[in-house]
Amino acid sequence: MMAADCQENPDQNAVTPPRRKPADGVRNAAAVVVIVAVVSAGMIHAVPTFGQLGTMGWPLVLRFLPAVALIIAVGRLGGWVATRCRQPRVIGEMAAGIALGPSLLGQFAPEIQHALFPAELIPHLGLIAQLAIIYFVFLLGADLPLELLRGSGRRVAALGVGMVAVPFACGLLLAVGMAATYRPDSVGLVPFLLFFGTSMSITAFPVLVRILAGHNLIRTRIGALGLATAGVGDVISWCMLIVVVAMAQGDSAAAVIPTAAWLILFTTVTLTALRPALRRLLAAAESNAGLRRVSTAVLVLCALSGAAITDWIGIHAIFGALLVGVVVPRENSVVRDLGRTVGRGVNVILPLFFAVIGFSMQIGFLRTTQDLLVCGLMIVVAITSKVGTTTLVGRLTKLTWRESAGLGVMVNCRGLTELVVVAAGLSLGIIGPDLFVMFVAMTLVTTIMTGPLLGWLKLGETKAGTQPVASFV
């Protein structure tokens, strides 16, 4: 009888797929609403800003396109030369961008420099450069080693705090003596001092990754420790920078309150609403090719929208892009693919950012003996405070002297991240062009020295080279 029943109903023992719960549909709808709301709010500000590119007439477009092509070609050439000299590509791109500006090309052939890059072209080049930096910072946020920070222990915490706090304090003291000469009249003393100190404490995490990979140190314990330390320092520095910029944008303490309130609201929405919404969307996109393409576009729009919202708030576009990058779920394959596709595009147009920096630089600011001495002092303070503090803390936490010095050299790398920060300070009027040039010089020196010193220290030859970070807490 039972056998007959089974024959008559062959599907009764089959496993049926789980039915979608009604709550899933509600959560999916809520995720869509959150994403659409964030993107819409950002586009209200972003479309008029970047829509200015569409106002170029054909005569300007015909000059714009060759200028972009020339900048990218020269930047790529500079990057190639840097790699042949065993330096990060970004060093060559920085030098190429500066060379196209008034500091070099403008000195020897001003007519050619103005013909290639007329003044009316610079704002449009700046918009493209701003897009490049927005997505660079977005990918930086997505690449911050948060998983290392969770399990890295007391040593990384001590190293991260030390390599930020001491350079910050040294920069603060240095800025006190420089404020009378180099502080812009429109900026209060406290924001100027805090911005100076914060800028001295920056570490370039993305450039450091590339340098460590070139020296085969990524998978070693000292390399992982260096990345974790840089990650802690970057989180602290970016948080400090947000506060400093908010203070600088307000004319008084009361004026900062609305900016801080809007920033807190946006951060709360991003962490509590946008993050789970993106996680739900990207989880569904893992197994759906069509949704995968849509989710890629959504991430690109969310990064731009986050940047536009914080720019509207009065902070800076880079902070919104960074925050959106931080909340993106790293374990998702769509995000990993985005890092390759968008990152490749960012690398192509990034020379535009260096060129725009070069257009705003005048090495002539360093012609006086005082400027040269101040610039040299900044470089010495930047190096000794970072390398010295990290080396000492590393030794106190029972690393060898060579490992401790290696960590100090790693976190002394400032690279592109420092340029993004000081360019933001220049655009907001917190620092002037003279101090900006000094920060750029300091960035170049500290970044160039990182690779050769790591090679000299030969950290990859340590016996404990493959131990994980958490094992020596």
Side-chain angles (χ1 to χ4, degrees):
M1 183 70 178
M2 292 177 62
D5 289 341
C6 290
Q7 290 176 357
E8 293 174 2
N9 301 286
D11 295 332
Q12 68 181 6
N13 293 325
V15 178
T16 58
R19 295 182 179 179
R20 180 178 293 180
K21 298 178 181 179
D24 289 340
V26 173
R27 293 192 184 99
N28 290 338
V32 171
V33 169
V34 169
I35 293 172
V36 169
V38 171
V39 170
S40 299
M43 289 300 105
I44 292 174
H45 184 67
V47 170
T49 300
F50 294 100
Q52 297 174 33
L53 291 170
T55 63
M56 287 190 295
W58 276 110
L60 195 57
V61 169
L62 294 177
R63 304 184 72 176
F64 178 80
L65 295 178
V68 170
L70 177 61
I71 291 170
I72 292 176
V74 173
R76 301 283 287 185
L77 176 61
W80 178 81
V81 172
T83 57
R84 301 297 291 180
C85 298
R86 302 182 61 83
Q87 287 290 339
R89 178 178 294 274
V90 68
I91 291 293
E93 292 176 346
M94 285 184 204
I98 294 172
L100 290 174
S103 298
L104 186 61
L105 182 60
Q107 289 289 326
F108 296 100
E111 297 84 3
I112 296 177
Q113 203 268 335
H114 289 303
L116 292 174
F117 311 109
E120 60 269 22
L121 212 60
I122 305 304
H124 299 289
L125 293 172
L127 287 175
I128 302 295
Q130 189 175 356
L131 278 175
I133 289 306
I134 285 172
Y135 287 108
F136 167 80
V137 174
F138 166 68
L139 295 175
L140 169 63
D143 282 339
L144 282 178
L146 300 182
E147 68 283 355
L148 288 177
L149 308 189
R150 294 190 190 100
S152 51
R154 293 187 296 272
R155 175 183 288 165
V156 170
L159 287 165
V161 172
M163 73 100 164
V164 170
V166 175
F168 177 83
C170 292
L172 212 63
L173 294 174
L174 186 59
V176 170
M178 297 172 57
T181 306
Y182 296 101
R183 176 173 63 92
D185 295 334
S186 58
V187 177
L189 178 61
V190 173
F192 173 79
L193 298 179
L194 294 178
F195 182 85
F196 195 107
T198 304
S199 298
M200 295 288 279
S201 64
I202 295 292
T203 295
F205 181 79
V207 176
L208 180 58
V209 171
R210 290 175 174 83
I211 293 176
L212 293 181
H215 287 79
N216 297 317
L217 293 173
I218 287 286
R219 299 299 176 188
T220 64
R221 73 162 189 173
I222 196 66
L225 181 58
L227 291 178
T229 302
V232 170
D234 268 9
V235 170
I236 297 172
S237 297
W238 283 105
C239 291
M240 291 166 53
L241 197 60
I242 292 174
V243 175
V244 173
V245 172
M247 293 178 61
Q249 291 294 87
D251 297 327
S252 62
V256 178
I257 295 176
T259 300
W262 280 111
L263 181 60
I264 291 171
L265 175 62
F266 175 66
T267 303
T268 303
V269 170
T270 303
L271 294 175
T272 61
L274 183 62
R275 182 175 188 171
L278 290 176
R279 187 178 297 277
R280 179 166 288 271
L281 172 68
L282 294 174
E286 288 272 20
S287 57
N288 187 314
L291 191 57
R292 192 182 186 89
R293 289 189 289 270
V294 171
S295 61
T296 299
V298 166
L299 288 174
V300 170
L301 288 174
C302 283
L304 180 58
S305 298
I309 289 171
T310 51
D311 186 62
W312 174 81
I313 288 173
I315 304 296
H316 195 280
I318 56 176
F319 298 118
L322 180 75
L323 183 58
V324 173
V326 168
V327 303
V328 165
R330 288 158 172 72
E331 69 278 3
N332 193 276
S333 62
V334 178
V335 178
R336 292 193 293 271
D337 291 342
L338 187 74
R340 289 190 290 268
T341 56
V342 175
R344 193 177 298 118
V346 169
N347 288 333
V348 169
I349 63 174
L350 204 54
L352 291 173
F353 172 70
F354 300 122
V356 170
I357 285 180
F359 296 146
S360 60
M361 278 187 62
Q362 279 281 5
I363 300 298
F365 283 117
L366 299 181
R367 285 177 180 166
T368 68
T369 304
Q370 176 181 321
D371 288 343
L372 289 172
L373 289 175
V374 170
C375 183
L377 181 60
M378 282 179 59
I379 294 172
V380 170
V381 171
I383 294 172
T384 54
S385 60
K386 275 273 192 183
V387 178
T389 301
T390 308
T391 301
L392 181 59
V393 175
R395 191 71 187 101
L396 291 175
T397 55
K398 300 181 181 179
L399 292 175
T400 66
W401 277 113
R402 183 164 60 164
E403 290 175 328
S404 301
L407 283 177
V409 171
M410 290 179 199
V411 300
N412 187 51
C413 175
R414 288 172 171 84
L416 180 55
T417 307
E418 177 76 15
L419 287 186
V420 173
V421 170
V422 296
L426 179 66
S427 66
L428 295 171
I430 303 176
I431 59 175
D434 45 4
L435 198 53
F436 174 73
V437 172
M438 296 179 192
F439 272 116
V440 172
M442 181 264 286
T443 302
L444 288 170
V445 171
T446 56
T447 307
I448 288 172
M449 64 188 289
T450 303
L453 287 179
L454 286 178
W456 177 70
L457 287 169
K458 298 180 180 179
L459 295 171
E461 298 179 3
T462 55
K463 293 182 179 180
T466 57
Q467 295 180 9
V469 177
S471 67
F472 49 85
V473 174

